[in-house]
Coordinates of all heavy atoms in Angstrom, one line a residue:
T289 N 32.2 -3.5 29.7 CA 32.1 -3.9 31.1 C 32.9 -2.9 31.9 O 33.6 -2.1 31.4 CB 32.6 -5.3 31.3 OG1 34.0 -5.3 31.4 CG2 32.1 -6.3 30.2
P290 N 32.8 -3.0 33.2 CA 33.6 -2.1 34.1 C 35.1 -2.3 33.9 O 35.9 -1.4 34.2 CB 33.2 -2.5 35.5 CG 31.8 -3.0 35.4 CD 31.8 -3.8 34.0
N291 N 35.5 -3.4 33.3 CA 36.9 -3.6 33.1 C 37.4 -3.7 31.6 O 38.6 -3.8 31.3 CB 37.3 -4.9 33.8 CG 37.0 -4.9 35.3 OD1 37.5 -4.0 36.0 ND2 36.3 -5.9 35.8
Q292 N 36.4 -3.7 30.7 CA 36.7 -3.9 29.3 C 35.9 -2.8 28.5 O 34.7 -2.7 28.7 CB 36.3 -5.3 28.8 CG 36.4 -5.5 27.3 CD 35.9 -6.9 26.9 OE1 35.5 -7.7 27.7 NE2 35.9 -7.1 25.6
N293 N 36.6 -2.0 27.7 CA 36.0 -0.8 27.1 C 35.2 0.0 28.2 O 34.0 0.3 28.1 CB 35.0 -1.2 26.0 CG 35.8 -1.9 24.9 OD1 36.8 -1.4 24.4 ND2 35.3 -3.1 24.5
S294 N 35.9 0.2 29.3 CA 35.2 0.7 30.5 C 34.6 2.1 30.3 O 33.7 2.5 31.0 CB 36.1 0.7 31.7 OG 37.3 1.4 31.5
D295 N 35.3 2.9 29.4 CA 34.8 4.3 29.2 C 33.4 4.2 28.5 O 32.5 4.9 28.8 CB 35.7 5.1 28.4 CG 36.1 4.4 27.0 OD1 35.9 3.2 26.9 OD2 36.7 5.1 26.2
L296 N 33.2 3.2 27.6 CA 31.9 3.0 26.9 C 30.9 2.5 27.9 O 29.7 2.9 27.8 CB 32.1 2.1 25.7 CG 30.9 1.8 24.8 CD1 30.3 3.1 24.3 CD2 31.2 0.9 23.7
Y297 N 31.3 1.6 28.7 CA 30.4 1.0 29.8 C 29.9 2.2 30.6 O 28.7 2.3 30.9 CB 31.1 0.0 30.6 CG 30.3 -0.3 31.9 CD1 29.4 -1.4 31.9 CD2 30.5 0.4 33.1 CE1 28.7 -1.7 33.0 CE2 29.8 0.1 34.2 CZ 28.8 -0.9 34.2 OH 28.1 -1.2 35.3
W298 N 30.8 3.0 31.1 CA 30.4 4.2 31.9 C 29.4 5.1 31.2 O 28.4 5.5 31.8 CB 31.7 4.9 32.3 CG 31.5 6.1 33.2 CD1 31.4 6.1 34.6 CD2 31.4 7.5 32.8 NE1 31.2 7.4 35.0 CE2 31.2 8.2 34.0 CE3 31.4 8.1 31.6 CZ2 31.1 9.6 34.0 CZ3 31.2 9.5 31.5 CH2 31.1 10.3 32.7
A299 N 29.7 5.4 29.9 CA 28.8 6.3 29.2 C 27.4 5.7 29.0 O 26.4 6.4 29.1 CB 29.5 6.7 27.9
L300 N 27.4 4.5 28.6 CA 26.1 3.8 28.3 C 25.3 3.7 29.6 O 24.0 3.6 29.5 CB 26.3 2.4 27.7 CG 26.8 2.4 26.2 CD1 27.3 1.0 25.9 CD2 25.7 2.9 25.3
S301 N 25.9 3.6 30.7 CA 25.2 3.4 32.0 C 24.8 4.7 32.6 O 25.3 5.1 33.6 CB 26.1 2.6 32.9 OG 26.5 1.4 32.4
G302 N 23.8 5.4 31.9 CA 23.3 6.6 32.5 C 23.5 7.9 31.6 O 22.9 8.9 31.9
G303 N 24.3 7.7 30.6 CA 24.6 8.9 29.7 C 23.7 9.1 28.5 O 24.0 10.0 27.7
G304 N 22.6 8.3 28.5 CA 21.6 8.5 27.5 C 21.7 7.5 26.3 O 22.8 7.1 25.9
G305 N 20.5 7.1 25.8 CA 20.4 6.1 24.8 C 20.6 6.7 23.4 O 20.5 7.9 23.2
G306 N 21.0 5.8 22.4 CA 21.1 6.2 21.0 C 22.2 7.3 20.8 O 22.0 8.1 19.9
T307 N 23.2 7.2 21.6 CA 24.2 8.3 21.5 C 25.6 7.9 21.2 O 26.3 8.5 20.4 CB 24.3 9.0 22.9 OG1 23.0 9.5 23.2 CG2 25.3 10.2 22.9
Y308 N 26.1 6.8 21.8 CA 27.4 6.3 21.6 C 27.5 5.0 20.7 O 28.5 4.7 20.1 CB 28.1 6.0 22.9 CG 27.7 7.0 24.0 CD1 26.6 6.8 24.8 CD2 28.4 8.2 24.1 CE1 26.2 7.8 25.7 CE2 28.1 9.2 25.0 CZ 27.0 9.0 25.8 OH 26.6 9.9 26.7
G309 N 26.4 4.3 20.6 CA 26.2 3.1 19.8 C 24.8 2.6 19.9 O 24.0 3.1 20.6
V310 N 24.6 1.5 19.2 CA 23.3 0.8 19.2 C 23.5 -0.5 20.1 O 24.3 -1.3 19.7 CB 22.8 0.4 17.8 CG1 21.4 0.0 17.9 CG2 23.0 1.6 16.9
V311 N 22.7 -0.6 21.2 CA 22.9 -1.7 22.1 C 22.1 -2.9 21.5 O 21.0 -2.8 21.1 CB 22.3 -1.4 23.4 CG1 22.1 -2.6 24.3 CG2 23.2 -0.4 24.1
L312 N 22.8 -4.0 21.4 CA 22.2 -5.3 21.0 C 21.7 -6.1 22.2 O 20.7 -6.7 22.1 CB 23.3 -6.1 20.2 CG 22.8 -7.4 19.6 CD1 21.8 -7.2 18.5 CD2 24.0 -8.3 19.1
S313 N 22.4 -6.0 23.3 CA 21.9 -6.7 24.5 C 22.6 -6.1 25.7 O 23.7 -5.5 25.6 CB 22.2 -8.2 24.5 OG 23.6 -8.5 24.5
M314 N 22.1 -6.3 26.9 CA 22.7 -6.0 28.1 C 22.6 -7.1 29.1 O 21.6 -7.9 29.0 CB 22.2 -4.7 28.7 CG 20.8 -4.7 29.3 SD 20.4 -3.2 30.1 CE 18.8 -3.7 30.8
T315 N 23.5 -7.2 30.1 CA 23.4 -8.1 31.1 C 23.3 -7.4 32.4 O 24.1 -6.5 32.7 CB 24.7 -9.0 31.1 OG1 24.8 -9.7 29.9 CG2 24.6 -10.1 32.2
V316 N 22.3 -7.8 33.3 CA 22.1 -7.1 34.5 C 22.0 -8.0 35.7 O 21.7 -9.2 35.5 CB 20.7 -6.3 34.4 CG1 20.8 -5.2 33.3 CG2 19.5 -7.2 34.1
K317 N 22.1 -7.5 36.9 CA 21.9 -8.2 38.1 C 20.5 -8.7 38.3 O 19.5 -7.9 37.9 CB 22.3 -7.4 39.3 CG 23.7 -6.9 39.3 CD 23.9 -5.9 40.5 CE 25.3 -5.2 40.5 NZ 25.4 -4.3 41.6
L318 N 20.3 -9.8 38.9 CA 18.9 -10.2 39.4 C 18.9 -10.4 40.9 O 20.0 -10.5 41.5 CB 18.6 -11.6 38.7 CG 18.4 -11.6 37.2 CD1 18.1 -13.0 36.7 CD2 17.3 -10.6 36.8
Y319 N 17.7 -10.4 41.5 CA 17.6 -10.5 42.9 C 16.5 -11.5 43.3 O 15.6 -11.7 42.4 CB 17.2 -9.1 43.5 CG 18.3 -8.0 43.2 CD1 18.1 -7.2 42.1 CD2 19.4 -7.9 44.0 CE1 19.1 -6.2 41.8 CE2 20.4 -6.9 43.7 CZ 20.2 -6.1 42.6 OH 21.2 -5.2 42.3
Q320 N 16.5 -11.9 44.5 CA 15.6 -12.9 44.9 C 14.2 -12.3 45.1 O 14.1 -11.2 45.7 CB 16.0 -13.5 46.3 CG 15.2 -14.8 46.7 CD 15.5 -15.9 45.8 OE1 16.6 -16.1 45.3 NE2 14.5 -16.7 45.5
N321 N 13.2 -12.9 44.5 CA 11.8 -12.4 44.7 C 11.4 -12.7 46.2 O 11.9 -13.6 46.8 CB 10.9 -13.2 43.8 CG 9.5 -12.5 43.6 OD1 9.3 -11.4 44.2 ND2 8.7 -13.0 42.7
Q322 N 10.5 -11.8 46.7 CA 10.1 -11.9 48.1 C 8.7 -11.5 48.2 O 8.1 -10.8 47.3 CB 11.0 -11.0 49.0 CG 12.4 -11.4 49.0 CD 13.2 -10.4 49.9 OE1 12.8 -10.3 51.1 NE2 14.1 -9.7 49.4
P323 N 8.0 -11.9 49.3 CA 6.6 -11.3 49.6 C 6.8 -9.8 49.6 O 7.8 -9.2 50.0 CB 6.3 -11.9 50.9 CG 7.0 -13.2 51.0 CD 8.3 -12.9 50.3
T324 N 5.8 -9.1 49.1 CA 5.8 -7.7 48.9 C 4.6 -7.0 49.4 O 3.5 -7.5 49.2 CB 6.0 -7.3 47.4 OG1 7.2 -7.9 46.9 CG2 6.0 -5.8 47.1
A325 N 4.7 -5.9 50.1 CA 3.6 -5.1 50.6 C 3.3 -4.0 49.6 O 4.2 -3.5 48.9 CB 3.8 -4.5 51.9
G326 N 2.0 -3.6 49.5 CA 1.6 -2.5 48.7 C 0.7 -1.6 49.4 O 0.0 -2.1 50.4
A327 N 0.6 -0.4 49.1 CA -0.2 0.6 49.8 C -0.7 1.7 48.8 O 0.0 2.0 47.9 CB 0.5 1.2 51.0
T328 N -1.9 2.2 49.1 CA -2.5 3.3 48.3 C -3.1 4.3 49.3 O -3.6 3.9 50.4 CB -3.6 2.8 47.4 OG1 -4.7 2.2 48.1 CG2 -3.1 1.8 46.4
L329 N -3.2 5.5 48.9 CA -3.7 6.6 49.7 C -4.3 7.7 48.8 O -3.7 8.0 47.8 CB -2.6 7.2 50.6 CG -3.0 8.4 51.5 CD1 -4.0 8.1 52.5 CD2 -1.7 9.0 52.1

Side-chain angles (χ1 to χ4, degrees):
T289 76
N291 301 307
Q292 176 184 357
N293 300 308
S294 57
D295 57 344
L296 182 58
Y297 168 88
W298 181 85
L300 288 167
S301 304
T307 303
Y308 319 94
V310 192
V311 167
L312 184 65
S313 67
M314 73 173 183
T315 302
V316 297
K317 302 175 187 177
L318 295 177
Y319 302 94
Q320 195 66 39
N321 200 358
Q322 298 179 59
T324 300
T328 61
L329 173 66

